[in-house]
Amino acid sequence: MDWLETRNGRLHAEGVALTEIAERFGTPVYVYSRAAIEQAFGEFSRAAAGREVLVCYAMKANSNLAIIDLLARAGAGFDIVSGGELRRALAAGADASRVVFSGVGKSANEIRFALEAGVRCFNVESTSELRRLSAIATACGRRAPVSLRVNPDVDAGTHPYISTGLRENKFGIAHDAAIAVYREAATLPGIEVTGIDCHIGSQITELAPFVAALDRIIDLAGQLAAQGIALRHLDLGGGLGIDYDGERPPSRQALLDAVFARIDASPAVRGLEVMFEFGRSIVGNAGLLLTRVEYLKSNDARNFAVVDAAMNDLMRPALYEAFHRIVPVVDRPGTALRWDVVGPVCESGDWLGRDRALALEEGDLLAVLSAGAYGMAMSSNYNTRPRAAEVMVDRGQAHLIRERETVESLYALERRLPD
Ligand SMILES: *Cc1c(COP(=O)(O)O)cnc(C)c1O
């Protein structure tokens, strides 16, 4: 992460000392780098230069308006999974014609809203959704642009909770059933078939699953063409992994090169527009969670560092036993001990890192790295904990991009029973 650098024994983010950010904004606080986000997106754009490609940002990874705004300005499209995300994208200034709408459970209201806004494509995940979409579009006097999300039954080789392209996952339409569903789609009055898509999972660190899924999609596109159903685009989803703990995923360029080589060699899809939906690989390593050590405590078995961030702030360790590097913000001389870094929430699952070698004292600041994706976005108010503030550093300046929540706001919508 080249936006992080140690100067005079203190960790800096794009030139701003994290100690200063902690003092100014308090902890826990998420810190993002504008340059790192733009660099990651820029690598995808450059790898796609000269081709008809729309690189979407899967905004569920981190949907802060400042991040959406930066990516919209850099030319990104957006992959959304709810009407709320569409509202957010529009509020940040994104263009609906660059938005694709994914998700297995789109409600009638969400569909209507997205049709009226004019999204680029609905990624449809079932026959029932297709019929509902056609009926709503017809009632609004429109035709909905559709790609079917095909479940290619490919093992992404990732954590079961973030695998989405296997038969047993709830996502998409089975590969074997896809042709029949396309045939029906072609007859529905409110549907305009425009593409085909897949998304096989997240934190994928090998090229092979992407290529295997692409081959399955190319095969279907060929069968569809033979039946007179012409596609205009392929949407290959997201899922490219990042380095949390020494993983070595393919580079952004290597992934796109492999995809385009395959497409160029396949007459059935050569020349079609290509879309992607990357989340984690754009923002994951552009953010960290800054937290302060409240208490140190030890028993015969373990040493615990109780910090002021918890599973409600960063759920990935509790949810997937995910690993995040945890580093001290100020270098401290002294012997490292093995610490379990845990939060104040009343759950044994509330840990951020286990068995970490750190020299620690109470009051120290720690940076939990690679927290830009699925960090703040998955946070909650469990234990009536206000969600953390978010800060973005940009050329030596730290900007508050989300205020820390107040406790009052957490129960402002609640009502007592009448007397
Ligand atoms: C979550 C998701 C993505 C993004 O996945 P990443 O691993 O963050 O790149 C893309 N498409 C769909 C349909 C998703 O659900």
Side-chain angles (χ1 to χ4, degrees):
M1 273 146 276
D2 47 10
W3 58 283
L4 287 174
E5 183 189 30
T6 302
R7 292 188 195 164
N8 307 320
R10 282 162 187 252
L11 200 58
H12 286 64
E14 272 194 48
V16 184
L18 291 176
T19 48
E20 249 173 60
I21 290 178
E23 250 155 60
R24 196 169 142 205
F25 302 101
T27 54
V29 59
Y30 275 97
V31 182
Y32 309 114
S33 156
R34 173 180 180 171
I37 293 170
E38 290 180 339
Q39 189 196 322
F41 180 76
E43 278 180 31
F44 283 127
S45 304
R46 281 191 297 280
R51 292 175 175 271
E52 207 191 335
V53 170
L54 181 64
V55 180
C56 293
Y57 170 55
M59 58 185 273
K60 76 178 189 287
N62 188 327
S63 56
N64 186 290
L65 294 189
I67 292 177
I68 296 167
D69 172 45
L70 284 182
L71 289 167
R73 284 193 263 161
F78 295 91
D79 172 59
I80 61 165
V81 291
S82 71
E85 286 192 348
L86 177 55
R87 246 170 235 281
R88 245 178 206 286
L90 298 177
D95 186 341
S97 70
R98 298 170 77 79
V99 170
V100 298
F101 192 175
S102 298
V104 287
K106 302 174 191 79
S107 72
N109 279 336
E110 289 176 317
I111 289 173
R112 219 168 281 122
F113 174 45
L115 271 172
E116 276 159 13
V119 298
R120 161 85 59 122
C121 191
F122 289 84
N123 292 344
V124 168
E125 305 218 13
S126 65
T127 310
S128 298
E129 182 192 337
L130 186 70
R131 291 174 187 160
R132 176 187 276 186
L133 179 55
S134 177
I136 296 173
T138 310
C140 306
R142 294 172 196 255
R143 290 180 80 201
V146 160
S147 89
L148 297 187
R149 175 168 175 183
V150 174
N151 183 329
D153 196 26
V154 162
D155 187 355
T158 184
H159 188 284
Y161 286 9
I162 51 176
S163 250
T164 55
L166 282 171
R167 225 181 265 282
E168 63 257 39
N169 301 134
K170 70 179 174 184
F171 297 99
I173 294 167
H175 186 268
D176 324 337
I179 298 287
V181 183
Y182 267 106
R183 278 228 201 84
E184 175 170 351
T187 67
L188 291 174
I191 300 295
E192 182 185 4
V193 171
T194 61
I196 187 165
D197 85 284
C198 70
H199 170 72
I200 57 171
S202 199
Q203 186 53 17
I204 302 167
T205 54
E206 306 287 335
L207 272 181
F210 289 107
V211 175
L214 174 57
D215 283 344
R216 305 274 283 165
I217 294 296
I218 290 173
D219 166 60
L220 282 177
Q223 294 184 47
L224 288 171
Q227 302 196 20
I229 299 176
L231 303 177
R232 297 208 297 267
H233 78 261
L234 304 181
D235 177 344
L236 301 174
L240 180 62
I242 61 171
D243 172 8
Y244 286 101
D245 184 22
E247 298 91 335
R248 299 174 54 104
S251 70
R252 300 177 183 97
Q253 169 102 43
L255 173 59
L256 268 56
D257 285 352
V259 163
F260 295 139
R262 210 61 161 211
I263 289 175
D264 291 346
S266 312
V269 293
R270 194 184 299 140
L272 297 190
E273 183 185 14
V274 181
M275 299 184 194
F276 296 97
E277 307 165 346
F278 294 114
R280 191 188 309 273
S281 54
I282 294 176
V283 291
N285 268 332
L288 58 81
L289 175 61
L290 185 58
T291 181
R292 198 178 286 281
V293 177
E294 296 275 14
Y295 301 104
L296 298 178
K297 60 186 271 186
S298 300
N299 61 26
D300 319 342
R302 315 290 273 192
N303 300 309
F304 296 101
V306 184
V307 300
D308 63 6
M311 65 186 284
N312 74 295
D313 300 299
L314 179 62
M315 197 186 184
R316 299 188 66 258
L319 187 61
Y320 323 117
E321 303 200 343
F323 179 94
H324 289 263
R325 290 191 178 100
I326 301 179
V327 300
V329 167
V330 179
D331 286 347
R332 160 182 301 295
T335 339
L337 296 177
R338 318 288 306 184
W339 296 97
D340 283 4
V341 179
V342 302
V345 162
C346 304
E347 299 277 347
S348 293
D350 179 26
W351 54 274
L352 300 176
R354 283 175 168 157
D355 201 29
R356 303 302 176 84
L358 292 161
L360 285 184
E361 284 192 16
E362 291 178 357
D364 283 359
L365 287 170
L366 293 172
V368 182
L369 304 186
S370 309
Y374 307 107
M376 185 65 179
M378 291 175 102
S379 65
S380 78
N381 295 119
Y382 189 38
N383 282 206
T384 304
R385 289 171 50 85
R387 276 183 292 176
E390 293 177 288
V391 166
M392 189 176 303
V393 287
D394 176 22
R395 293 163 295 177
Q397 297 284 329
H399 301 274
L400 186 64
I401 61 167
R402 190 179 204 270
E403 288 177 39
R404 186 177 304 286
E405 285 175 341
T406 62
V407 171
E408 300 71 46
S409 75
L410 304 189
Y411 50 77
L413 302 177
E414 297 171 25
R415 299 289 180 268
R416 288 183 236 240
L417 294 185
D419 282 337

